[in-house]
Amino acid sequence: MYFYVRQSCVWQLGNRCGQFFFQARHISSSSYNDAIRNVLSDENKERTIQNVTKYNENINVAKKLSQTAAVLVALCYTNNVPCMLLTVRPSHMKKHAGEVSFPGGGMDYGDTSVIDTALRETEEEIGFPKSKVDVWATIKPLPDRFLQKATKAVYPVIGNLGHVDPSDLKVNPNEVEKVMCIPIEFLLDPYNFGTTRFRVKNNKPSPFSYTMPIYFTKPHIWGLTGTFVNLSLMFLIPEWHKPLTKGRFHVKK
Amino acid sequence: MSKSIKTVFSHLKGNRFSQKVKRGIFTSSKLNQDSTDLPEELTTPLSQALKTAPAPIYAPTGSETFQTITTKLSDGLTVTSQPKFGTFCTVGILVNAGSRHEVDYPSGTSHFLERLGFSASSLYKTRDDIMQAVESLGGICDCQSSRDTTIYAASIDRNKLEKLIELFADVVFQPTLPDTEIQLAHNSILYELEMLNKKPDPDPMMTELIHEAAFRGNTVGLPRFPPEETLADINVDVLKTFLRSYYQPQRMVVAGVGVDHDELSKMCEKYISASAKSPSWSLDGPVLQDNSVAQYTGGEVRVEKSFDLSLSVVPMPELAHVSVGLEGVNFTHADFVPYAVLNMLMGGGGSFSAGGPGKGMFSRLYLNVLNRHHWMYAATAYHHSYEDGGFFCIQGSSHPSQLRDCVHVITQEFVRLTQGTNEVELKRAKKQLQSMLMMNLEARPIIFEDVGRQILATGVRKSPLELCDMIERVSNEDIIRIAGNLLSGKAALAGLGDLRNMPSLDDVQSALASTDGKLPRKFRLFRS
């Protein structure tokens, strides 16, 4: 290979672990509708936990990172549709202004585990009580940046918030500008996402390139958040999840 | 009516003058008769047809076709044409390939191909042969590549279209890529890079840097002017793989202005589709096609550089350049026209052109920035927009010691946008945009590029009148709304020159989020 193509081990291993076939999506297919309706059921919860455990066994976290952080991959029922709950950061934030992320943050001294961190941050940011969150599984951490620039290891914690009405939540305006509940059906539709290949300068001889998903919501979901969405969908509803390819499909709007 | 003519003549009848007039001018026997017997030509009013004259044949006023016609051939090639009166026509091929597709390739591959456009192919041994052939058709040809498109175009005599299409089919799909030409292209790009580094004009470098800052590491953020190191990696195999992956008929548009559509279609089918089936780079081989979506990341890029100021007779000012950008929209977005109006509203340019308050440069960056601060050498607003993303930036230049104030002024201007505009200012911006659009579209090569790019990107061409309507509908509320959208995202910051006094991205971000746009106060020993 004389071109600059090197795959990121974590992302691709994750994709290959989900060795499930992708079915062409038929909107009227009853099995698809059933799958969507049952995404937050107990049965699916068990299956998701098994998938995550299998994935965690096969993944090696390459580098020991000094800081730890956790995010809550929040699943919820909004308007009777299973959704993922995401927050938009306000524009006055120093880092990542205006970007979309899951509720979460850095680990504090008082936290006993990463799940604790995720739940505490969720309560601080969107005012959803810790006790009402049904935690499913914790996925092995991903670095917040690639290669040498990584400072934190971020643990995604999958949790079910139950029935949520976004207008009822008491959001903290310093940390959250607004709350978005995106239906899982929207995130699965190939029309609503694309991929982007990034190439960063590295030590010679070859730069490092990697592929990341982008979801076309109002502010785009990309970066680490996009990767978490992709991973979580792979565990939640693998038979309808289209695996990431090397930017081969193009969405023409 | 005839009565009044009679009265005119009767008034003259008894005069000696009238006798002379009658004899001098009206010497036909008809007029020597009684005045009531005037010939029909004189008595019929102009609103009626003359009975003695043959029936006039009027030219048919059919609807003047300003319509762009687009059809798709069986192999996916799109053919589009715009009727225009004239002996000459402009025809070209636009390919959806550019520096944004180079993530798997050494940077500069498409720039290389731009240099190698219209060079040795199967029918024409050297570039000179091609130039001579095009000259014999009555015109000129050129190849240009940008971040997302590569264009091969020629302007020739309308009647010699067939020969040109044959030439295109050969030059684009059957290049021989000999080593001599590749070496020549390599040397010419090295020379171009040297010139870019030497010349004090910052625009090409700054455009590269701000793109890299705004779209870090992806698609349009990839460098368009290749760094020297990667040039050495480009060889025939790399070029052939790039061509195989991106030069496919379904990614191409053949556009013509001033040609007949059916004729163009038939010729394309005959020559271009046939040539594309078996191109010189052979269809079996690795295909590395990238269809990434552009993603705005924001961020900071700094390039410390000392300019050589001794190049000219008069000592040149020492300048540092900085560009502050925010996320905009793509050109298919509903808000694209308001952003264009905003760009016109901000305007800007070099301080040399400012000429003082009375000159008539009324865009905001002249009125508020260049006319008020003598130490600002330039301030220009740009809106770079692509099919899946865009960003709006203001680029400023000043002496390195005043770089912080320069950024300060720019962030204040950004925040001032949320207060809206006044009616006169907005009307002026809209009128200027409309007139610039219409004036540019009078030139045939520009019509060609407009038609080709629109069809390539969206499949539909918005006519200039449609665009003028959309521009007219932009209101003050639109400007306030898009200013809010701009300021809600992450900033991109690029700097070139002596950057000791350049504020950090965090400072710029806080300034843009504050109500007055001022940078956070820093303790400074000496107030300059």
Side-chain angles (χ1 to χ4, degrees):
Chain A
M1 261 300 194
Y2 35 70
F3 300 135
Y4 307 145
V5 175
R6 256 214 294 150
Q7 298 314 309
S8 149
C9 50
V10 175
W11 305 161
Q12 292 309 99
L13 249 180
N15 280 338
R16 282 211 294 276
C17 264
Q19 285 283 341
F20 307 108
F21 57 94
F22 169 69
Q23 285 182 352
R25 181 176 150 251
H26 302 292
I27 303 172
S28 55
S29 154
S30 59
S31 68
Y32 173 73
N33 289 333
D34 284 339
I36 293 283
R37 232 175 302 142
N38 293 333
V39 125
L40 299 183
S41 65
D42 290 325
E43 192 190 336
N44 203 33
K45 174 179 170 180
E46 291 305 318
R47 196 176 65 148
T48 309
I49 297 177
Q50 280 173 22
N51 290 340
V52 172
T53 324
K54 216 189 325 182
Y55 169 86
N56 281 344
E57 282 164 11
N58 293 326
I59 275 283
N60 286 321
V61 178
K63 187 176 159 180
K64 284 280 180 247
L65 291 159
S66 50
Q67 295 170 37
T68 317
V71 293
L72 181 70
V73 177
L75 307 167
C76 61
Y77 263 114
T78 307
N79 301 333
N80 291 325
V81 170
C83 300
M84 276 202 181
L85 186 140
L86 292 121
T87 61
V88 178
R89 287 166 72 89
S91 46
H92 59 70
M93 299 291 266
K94 283 259 169 79
K95 290 202 179 335
H96 307 294
E99 294 183 7
V100 182
S101 75
F102 284 112
M107 201 166 186
D108 265 353
Y109 280 119
D111 295 327
T112 45
S113 69
V114 285
I115 299 179
D116 231 13
T117 312
L119 295 178
R120 177 184 53 80
E121 288 286 339
T122 309
E123 184 153 15
E124 283 175 13
E125 287 181 12
I126 60 173
F128 194 85
K130 278 187 247 188
S131 46
K132 281 204 199 163
V133 180
D134 175 18
V135 175
W136 289 11
T138 307
I139 311 173
K140 273 208 174 163
L142 293 168
D144 65 336
R145 286 245 195 281
F146 270 106
L147 309 167
Q148 279 78 25
K149 298 199 204 147
T151 49
K152 311 198 245 292
V154 189
Y155 285 82
V157 176
I158 303 183
N160 184 3
L161 304 188
H163 284 268
V164 170
D165 187 0
S167 48
D168 281 343
L169 292 170
K170 287 203 180 60
V171 297
N172 179 359
N174 286 333
E175 304 200 26
V176 167
E177 181 155 333
K178 73 171 187 208
V179 167
M180 299 199 304
C181 291
I182 317 280
I184 292 194
E185 211 170 330
F186 182 92
L187 296 169
L188 286 173
D189 188 352
Y191 189 74
N192 295 325
F193 67 94
T195 55
T196 299
R197 303 213 45 223
F198 291 80
R199 186 172 79 195
V200 284
K201 294 188 191 136
N202 189 12
N203 304 322
K204 290 297 165 98
S206 57
F208 178 63
S209 73
Y210 54 95
T211 309
M212 297 251 246
I214 298 192
Y215 296 88
F216 304 127
T217 47
K218 255 309 144 89
H220 286 181
I221 305 177
W222 60 284
L224 200 58
T225 314
T227 317
F228 287 153
V229 170
N230 185 41
L231 264 183
S232 314
L233 287 177
M234 193 176 74
F235 297 135
L236 282 171
I237 188 164
E239 56 274 11
W240 295 104
H241 168 252
K242 186 166 180 181
L244 266 198
T245 49
K246 238 172 35 181
R248 216 179 294 148
F249 46 91
H250 176 61
V251 178
K252 239 203 159 75
K253 292 178 243 351
Chain B
M1 194 48 163
S2 50
K3 270 196 184 159
S4 56
I5 293 178
K6 270 191 193 167
T7 52
V8 164
F9 282 167
S10 64
H11 156 74
L12 290 174
K13 214 163 41 173
N15 244 331
R16 258 179 61 201
F17 179 68
S18 69
Q19 305 289 336
K20 276 194 195 164
V21 164
K22 273 193 195 168
R23 259 185 283 123
I25 303 171
F26 300 111
T27 49
S28 78
S29 55
K30 273 193 183 174
L31 268 177
N32 287 331
Q33 299 163 13
D34 195 357
S35 60
T36 50
D37 247 354
L38 283 172
E40 210 199 317
E41 289 91 11
L42 292 176
T43 55
T44 319
L46 292 171
S47 51
Q48 287 173 22
L50 270 183
K51 290 191 203 84
T52 49
I57 306 166
Y58 297 100
T61 57
S63 56
E64 175 73 56
T65 43
F66 292 120
Q67 283 285 31
T68 313
I69 313 167
T70 312
T71 50
K72 218 174 187 156
L73 298 180
S74 52
D75 58 353
L77 182 71
T78 311
V79 180
T80 174
S81 70
Q82 172 77 36
K84 188 169 165 55
F85 178 77
T87 3
F88 286 87
C89 65
T90 306
V91 182
I93 302 188
L94 295 98
V95 189
N96 193 3
S99 71
R100 72 173 280 175
H101 301 106
E102 283 176 5
V103 75
D104 289 324
Y105 299 84
S107 264
T109 309
S110 67
H111 197 60
F112 227 90
L113 283 173
E114 179 193 21
R115 286 300 149 104
L116 288 171
F118 291 108
S119 57
S121 63
S122 65
L123 293 176
Y124 302 91
K125 289 289 165 271
T126 64
R127 180 184 283 261
D128 286 330
D129 291 337
I130 299 182
M131 292 301 156
Q132 274 186 9
V134 177
E135 231 181 89
S136 71
L137 302 173
I140 47 169
C141 67
D142 187 30
C143 174
Q144 259 196 9
S145 96
S146 68
R147 296 203 127 85
D148 50 4
T149 325
T150 306
I151 307 181
Y152 296 80
S155 282
I156 52 150
D157 188 338
R158 205 175 172 135
N159 303 321
K160 309 203 176 139
L161 185 61
E162 185 152 6
K163 202 80 183 52
L164 180 72
I165 301 290
E166 195 186 350
L167 188 143
F168 270 142
D170 193 55
V171 155
V172 174
F173 287 99
Q174 313 291 340
T176 46
L177 302 171
D179 285 325
T180 46
E181 300 252 351
I182 293 186
Q183 196 56 41
L184 266 175
H186 189 110
N187 290 340
S188 103
I189 295 182
L190 281 176
Y191 180 69
E192 184 190 16
L193 289 176
E194 210 184 302
M195 277 293 108
L196 265 182
N197 276 325
K198 262 204 193 152
K199 277 203 283 199
D201 177 22
D203 284 334
M205 264 309 267
M206 279 306 288
T207 318
E208 288 287 288
L209 293 179
I210 190 66
H211 273 89
E212 193 186 327
F215 290 87
R216 178 60 74 100
N218 72 81
T219 57
V220 290
L222 294 171
R224 181 170 161 222
F225 295 111
E228 258 183 71
E229 308 88 60
T230 57
L231 265 190
D233 294 332
I234 302 179
N235 53 38
V236 180
D237 295 316
V238 171
L239 294 173
K240 284 199 171 156
T241 312
F242 191 87
L243 289 167
R244 192 178 306 121
S245 318
Y246 294 112
Y247 278 49
Q248 298 161 352
Q250 59 266 34
R251 295 176 75 100
M252 293 183 170
V253 168
V254 175
V257 178
V259 292
D260 176 56
H261 188 84
D262 294 324
E263 223 182 283
L264 183 67
S265 277
K266 255 189 291 185
M267 290 182 209
C268 287
E269 185 101 50
K270 181 172 171 195
Y271 294 109
I272 296 186
S273 298
S275 194
K277 284 200 182 66
S278 53
S280 75
W281 53 77
S282 137
L283 289 172
D284 342 288
V287 171
L288 280 176
Q289 198 182 77
D290 174 49
N291 288 316
S292 295
V293 176
Q295 177 59 49
Y296 180 87
T297 59
E300 192 176 357
V301 168
R302 292 170 175 242
V303 172
E304 296 273 354
K305 185 180 161 160
S306 55
F307 292 99
D308 181 6
L309 301 172
S310 57
L311 282 180
S312 134
V313 180
V314 181
M316 289 190 290
E318 187 187 348
L319 292 177
H321 311 279
V322 70
S323 192
V324 178
L326 291 166
E327 187 174 8
V329 294
N330 54 334
F331 52 63
T332 47
H333 199 272
D335 274 344
F336 173 65
V337 171
Y339 270 93
V341 174
L342 182 70
N343 193 1
M344 209 65 183
L345 187 80
M346 299 298 275
S351 64
F352 187 75
S353 312
K359 182 164 172 181
M361 309 295 269
F362 289 128
S363 59
R364 274 214 184 166
L365 286 179
Y366 271 111
L367 288 181
N368 294 347
V369 174
L370 292 171
N371 282 348
R372 294 231 182 123
H373 306 288
H374 65 93
W375 42 267
M376 286 284 285
Y377 276 86
T380 326
Y382 298 100
H383 182 222
H384 298 279
S385 191
Y386 301 95
E387 79 177 301
D388 43 13
F391 68 100
F392 189 90
C393 63
I394 296 184
Q395 182 180 319
S397 309
S398 73
H399 191 268
S401 63
Q402 285 167 308
L403 205 52
R404 193 180 173 81
D405 299 318
C406 179
V407 176
H408 193 167
V409 163
I410 292 177
T411 51
Q412 282 185 303
E413 278 307 308
F414 261 122
V415 173
R416 197 168 295 158
L417 282 174
T418 49
Q419 293 159 16
T421 68
N422 65 54
E423 199 188 316
V424 170
E425 208 182 2
L426 186 61
K427 249 181 152 173
R428 182 191 302 124
K430 291 198 289 197
K431 255 306 164 262
Q432 277 183 323
L433 187 60
Q434 286 168 332
S435 66
M436 190 183 79
L437 180 74
M438 297 307 273
M439 191 175 79
N440 279 330
L441 284 176
E442 287 179 12
R444 201 186 49 240
I446 302 189
I447 303 180
F448 157 76
E449 201 177 321
D450 180 47
V451 167
R453 275 185 192 260
Q454 284 204 44
I455 301 285
L456 186 65
T458 62
V460 174
R461 191 213 175 192
K462 286 202 173 76
S463 73
L465 293 173
E466 249 181 275
L467 289 170
C468 284
D469 267 336
M470 291 169 79
I471 294 172
E472 195 61 45
R473 285 198 290 264
V474 172
S475 64
N476 192 27
E477 284 76 43
D478 288 327
I479 300 285
I480 296 178
R481 178 171 50 85
I482 62 178
N485 288 344
L486 266 180
L487 291 169
S488 64
K490 203 165 155 191
L493 188 65
L496 179 69
D498 180 352
L499 301 177
R500 270 172 292 181
N501 288 324
M502 184 163 128
S504 65
L505 183 62
D506 287 343
D507 283 348
V508 172
Q509 193 73 55
S510 346
L512 289 169
S514 66
T515 46
D516 55 5
K518 293 204 189 232
L519 285 171
R521 282 182 165 267
K522 283 218 139 123
F523 175 65
R524 287 195 290 179
L525 272 176
F526 303 102
R527 303 220 101 216
S528 54

